[in-house]
Amino acid sequence: MEFTIPDKMKALVLFGPNDVRLVEKPVPKPGPGEVLVRVAACGICGTDVKIITKGMPKMPPYGEFTFGHEWAGTVVAVGETVDEFKVGDRVAIEAHKGCGRCENCIDGKYTACLNYGRLDKGHRAAGMTVDGGFAEYAVQHVNSVYKIPDNISFNEATYVTTAGCALYAIDKSGGYIAGDTIVVIGPGPIGLSVVQCARALGAERIILVGTREDRLSKGRLLGATHTINVREEPAPLDKILALTNGKGAERVFECAGTSDSFELAIKSAKKGGVVVLVSFYKEPVVANLDYVVLNQISLLTVRGEGNRNCQRALSLMAQGKIDAKPIMTHAFPLEEFHTALDYFVNRKDGAMKVVVNP
């Protein structure tokens, strides 16, 4: 199988804060260990909004940088030494490719690579420190590329990063959750993904907490056994304790990113339980850490989709145990990116995960 690869491609380029333009730029060439992918779909993430509005450390210069880190497509060329993939393979990516040489990467913690942003050391973060997927073509190192099972569409495959983050959070919490009670705070894409993955892995009771009834309703569809709307429930902690016979949950996943949600998370965990911080926080958090210490609650964090959890997400999707369709709500062509972004940011028409098709 051969593909005709043009010299130029359409791509979104960030020229400054809130200045995204569709331009022509050269099609990249795959280096050693890399594949060139004809991008079929790229999802919009909250991190993309942060990049667009404020930028981020180690990103390429304004006027050159193409963002986007949740993408999938078809391999159209391979670089030197690549025998893991062939032209014509349908693939999805995970954003992070660690340097492979620092102690964190050697320990498997490549999303916390100590050489973050050091291209000379081999680190790559697609759509963050190197060009990403809001373009017709993109390159990616084989360490962070996975073949898509035949029963998964390209749009669905962009979900593996979100689902991979959720699985990584469960992984870090202890992994084996069959029979446990968990609390998920924040029914956004990540929170709903934690709900789905926890159901697939055998959690007995899944309590989802949020402020929007439409998303809580979707959470029930995806596996939440109980939902709590904090706008209607004056004492959400009391409700959680009542559902857990007064002891709290074995594991709590904080996916909302506020002081209130953090406080609720630590108070919802049982003595000796685990709280995993999955969300980014826009502001410093004020909370009673004495409660954490006195009750021997473990506070853990995750960044990204480490420990090959994108591959695990693809497997669970192929098995029908997690479903991207209810979360992938809208799709737009590349030329309508600003409309897609508006839908995503302002949650228009119930938008949750919005996909762009180059």
Side-chain angles (χ1 to χ4, degrees):
M1 182 181 294
E2 292 186 9
F3 291 87
T4 300
I5 302 170
D7 295 327
K8 299 281 189 179
M9 66 177 183
K10 294 178 182 178
L12 295 176
V13 171
L14 187 63
F15 281 82
N18 296 305
D19 186 2
V20 178
R21 307 179 200 174
L22 183 62
V23 303
E24 272 200 344
K25 62 190 294 188
V27 174
K29 299 185 184 301
E34 295 179 334
V35 294
L36 176 66
V37 177
R38 173 67 172 89
V39 180
C42 185
I44 300 176
C45 172
T47 298
D48 294 316
V49 178
K50 179 181 177 182
I51 290 170
I52 291 167
T53 56
K54 299 179 180 179
M56 72 180 304
K58 310 293 186 180
M59 76 179 195
Y62 285 128
E64 301 176 13
F65 177 42
T66 294
F67 51 97
H69 59 274
E70 300 183 351
W71 50 273
T74 303
V75 174
V76 294
V78 300
E80 293 179 21
T81 76
V82 174
D83 57 11
E84 295 89 346
F85 299 92
K86 65 181 184 302
V87 171
D89 282 345
R90 300 168 68 249
V91 297
I93 69 114
E94 66 172 300
H96 295 89
K97 185 264 176 189
C99 72
R101 56 202 288 178
C102 73
E103 54 260 47
N104 279 3
C105 283
I106 292 169
D107 285 342
K109 295 180 282 191
Y110 55 88
T111 61
C113 176
L114 296 177
N115 287 313
Y116 185 92
R118 289 286 304 273
L119 306 187
D120 60 321
K121 293 282 192 177
H123 177 273
R124 302 285 188 278
M128 289 176 271
T129 67
V130 295
D131 279 351
F134 285 117
E136 292 181 303
Y137 293 88
V139 294
Q140 189 77 356
H141 194 277
V142 294
N143 281 15
S144 48
V145 177
Y146 303 104
K147 292 180 182 177
I148 302 172
D150 292 340
N151 61 342
I152 299 174
S153 72
F154 285 124
N155 281 11
E156 291 169 325
T158 66
Y159 177 60
V160 301
T161 303
T162 306
C165 290
L167 284 171
Y168 192 30
I170 293 172
D171 197 355
K172 285 292 290 287
S173 77
Y176 189 60
I177 66 171
D180 279 359
T181 291
I182 73 164
V183 171
V184 181
I185 302 173
I190 291 288
L192 291 177
S193 299
V194 174
V195 167
Q196 277 214 84
C197 294
R199 180 191 63 180
L201 297 172
E204 182 171 315
R205 187 182 290 109
I206 302 170
I207 304 168
L208 177 63
V209 182
T211 62
R212 296 169 64 90
E213 185 53 41
D214 59 336
R215 294 195 170 191
L216 292 171
S217 175
K218 188 161 288 191
R220 291 190 291 272
L221 173 70
L222 295 173
T225 58
H226 303 81
T227 57
I228 299 172
N229 188 329
V230 297
R231 290 177 176 167
E232 299 175 359
E233 173 57 60
L237 178 60
D238 290 347
K239 184 71 177 291
I240 290 169
L241 293 176
L243 290 169
T244 57
N245 296 318
K247 71 175 184 178
E250 281 83 4
R251 309 177 201 213
V252 181
F253 298 90
E254 210 293 86
C255 306
T258 69
S259 288
D260 287 345
S261 60
F262 183 91
E263 183 78 15
L264 180 60
I266 61 176
K267 294 289 180 62
S268 298
K270 75 170 188 177
K271 288 184 178 182
V274 174
V275 174
V276 185
L277 308 181
V278 190
S279 179
F280 292 121
Y281 292 82
K282 296 179 180 179
E283 298 175 352
V285 169
V286 177
N288 180 7
L289 291 182
D290 270 359
Y291 185 88
V292 175
V293 176
L294 290 171
N295 290 283
Q296 200 172 327
I297 294 167
S298 297
L299 284 179
L300 303 174
T301 64
V302 292
R303 177 176 183 173
E305 64 294 341
N307 205 16
R308 294 192 302 110
N309 276 295
C310 284
Q311 186 176 36
R312 294 180 172 89
L314 279 170
S315 177
L316 286 173
M317 290 169 67
Q319 295 175 53
K321 293 181 178 178
I322 60 176
D323 185 5
K325 294 183 184 70
I327 293 176
M328 315 300 293
T329 55
H330 295 77
F332 296 88
L334 188 64
E335 291 78 5
E336 297 179 21
F337 173 78
H338 289 92
T339 301
L341 184 66
D342 181 37
Y343 268 64
F344 177 79
V345 171
N346 295 304
R347 301 176 179 177
K348 287 188 173 179
D349 189 32
M352 188 166 293
K353 289 301 290 183
V354 178
V355 175
V356 171
N357 302 118

